[in-house]
Amino acid sequence: MIDILVGTAVTGFARAVTGVRGEWQGCAPEARPRVYFANHSSMGDFILVWTVLPPALRRNTRPVAGSDYWNVNATRRFFADRVFHSVLIDRNWMTRKGDPVKQMTDALDAGASLILFPEGTRNMTEERLLPFKSGLYHLAMARPQVELVPVWLENLNRMMPKGEIFPVPLLCTVTFGAPLTISAQEDKSAFLERARAALLAAASARAAAQ
């Protein structure tokens, strides 16, 4: 029960501080496993994606995050495990014992959706997107039937700059673009470039709607 109450408090706080709203421009909310992949510029990114999902979908959507950050103390572990039901990945390949792709496909096979950030780290540059890491490709190859939904986050880098503890009040939007799936013979570079273009298209759709 306490995890539900804390989750409700988290989404309420996120809405109060950012005024965040979700815009479904390329697809509609659907209760089936999906991978929501988004641009990454703030530690609050996944919380806002999670917040704007309809409650029935939110309960079954799990952010993919680094275990080195969320396992650092009991409080973070509580939020990661009990509130967000995160899929925690060991980002250090030298110490990693499990297969990150298997961790994610296990969650999809169990009926969950995922929130993923294919840039792999927060974008602190002037570029709109960093090059994508290969994880999204390997996940798509492992489960080609699963829809990959591009999600453009706007204003979060200004709301929660890296190194800051308290958010700056700003209005934020979360735009869901048109889903894509991988083609049977598509190579990694072509697929990642297409996924990157789909995410930028979601950003353009958001700009056109303003």
Side-chain angles (χ1 to χ4, degrees):
M1 176 60 76
I2 189 171
D3 48 333
I4 296 174
L5 294 175
V6 172
T8 301
V10 168
T11 57
F13 178 78
R15 290 185 187 280
V17 171
T18 69
V20 64
R21 66 178 185 274
E23 298 183 349
W24 295 82
Q25 296 198 359
C27 62
E30 292 186 19
R32 60 170 171 167
R34 281 173 158 173
V35 176
Y36 301 100
F37 66 98
N39 55 310
H40 193 20
S41 58
S42 167
M43 64 181 292
D45 288 341
F46 82 84
I47 294 175
L48 290 204
V49 179
W50 197 70
T51 293
V52 302
L53 290 171
L57 301 189
R58 186 189 312 141
R59 285 192 289 270
N60 210 27
T61 299
R62 306 175 61 184
V64 178
S67 60
D68 53 312
Y69 178 84
W70 290 98
N71 279 332
V72 73
N73 59 44
T75 300
R76 290 185 186 179
R77 279 196 297 276
F78 169 79
F79 277 91
D81 295 339
R82 298 281 301 279
V83 179
F84 303 125
H85 305 289
S86 307
V87 177
L88 295 183
I89 302 296
D90 184 349
R91 294 182 286 194
N92 187 338
W93 63 271
M94 296 185 67
T95 60
R96 182 183 299 155
K97 295 180 179 178
D99 178 358
V101 175
K102 185 177 187 308
Q103 288 180 257
M104 292 187 280
T105 56
D106 284 349
L108 292 170
D109 293 344
S113 292
L114 301 175
I115 300 171
L116 190 66
F117 298 97
E119 293 168 280
T121 187
R122 276 178 269 172
N123 182 2
M124 307 303 292
T125 74
E126 296 299 319
E127 298 293 328
R128 299 195 83 186
L129 282 175
L130 299 175
F132 282 8
K133 305 292 186 183
S134 61
L136 185 66
Y137 169 77
H138 293 302
L139 182 59
M141 288 294 289
R143 293 296 181 272
Q145 76 281 9
V146 174
E147 284 189 345
L148 312 172
V149 179
V151 183
W152 184 257
L153 303 165
E154 188 170 272
N155 266 349
L156 300 194
N157 57 332
R158 296 170 59 199
M159 181 199 78
M160 185 64 79
K162 190 171 186 176
E164 296 295 328
I165 299 175
F166 299 105
V168 177
L170 287 171
L171 295 178
C172 300
T173 57
V174 179
T175 303
F176 297 85
L180 65 148
T181 55
I182 196 166
S183 303
Q185 303 302 322
E186 196 167 10
D187 68 28
K188 181 172 68 176
S189 296
F191 170 76
L192 292 178
E193 185 56 38
R194 188 162 64 92
R196 193 170 181 273
L199 188 48
L200 291 172
S204 297
R206 163 60 189 157
Q210 286 182 305

